[in-house]
Amino acid sequence: MDKIEQMANKKQSIAFRKRVSAKGWISVKDRLPDFNVNVLMYHEIETTDEGIYPYLEIGYLNAPMEGENFGDIEWMDKEHNSLSSPSHWMRLPKPPVSP
């Protein structure tokens, strides 16, 4: 990917960040979700060949184990793999009710 495409991706990422804050997304700097509850997470992934791009994932904030301090929290995907911290998160909608 060339520099122009990387700059375009970065601009899209910045624009997306501005939109997500206004659409129900919560910054992890402002508040964390409840432990062990699935949420939609927003990450920005940076690669050497593709630049920065937005990435959405369902996962949860794992509660610290007994004896660990709050700094030991860990973000997990739905398959229970460790993730880097997202910048924003959002509650998942309630599933539809069957008639």
Side-chain angles (χ1 to χ4, degrees):
M1 178 177 284
D2 66 14
K3 290 286 184 190
I4 293 173
E5 289 174 314
Q6 287 179 355
M7 288 175 61
N9 281 349
K10 190 169 189 172
K11 285 181 184 178
Q12 286 177 335
S13 179
I14 291 167
F16 184 81
R17 241 183 290 146
K18 288 178 182 176
R19 286 195 316 269
V20 296
S21 297
K23 300 284 186 189
W25 289 91
I26 301 166
S27 171
V28 297
K29 293 177 183 176
D30 296 335
R31 192 172 85 217
L32 295 175
D34 292 335
F35 291 121
N36 303 320
V37 174
N38 280 331
V39 295
L40 184 60
M41 301 179 290
Y42 171 76
H43 298 267
E44 287 185 342
I45 308 295
E46 184 171 3
T47 64
T48 55
D49 56 332
E50 296 181 25
I52 298 173
Y53 66 93
Y55 183 73
L56 299 174
E57 174 136 38
I58 294 175
Y60 61 95
L61 184 60
N62 196 24
M65 301 290 280
E66 188 174 331
E68 292 180 330
N69 64 38
F70 192 73
D72 295 327
I73 61 173
E74 185 174 29
W75 292 90
M76 310 292 278
D77 66 14
K78 59 186 177 185
E79 285 84 29
H80 315 292
N81 298 309
S82 181
L83 297 171
S84 62
S85 179
S87 63
H88 292 78
W89 64 275
M90 175 187 289
R91 289 184 182 92
L92 294 174
K94 294 182 180 182
V97 177
S98 300

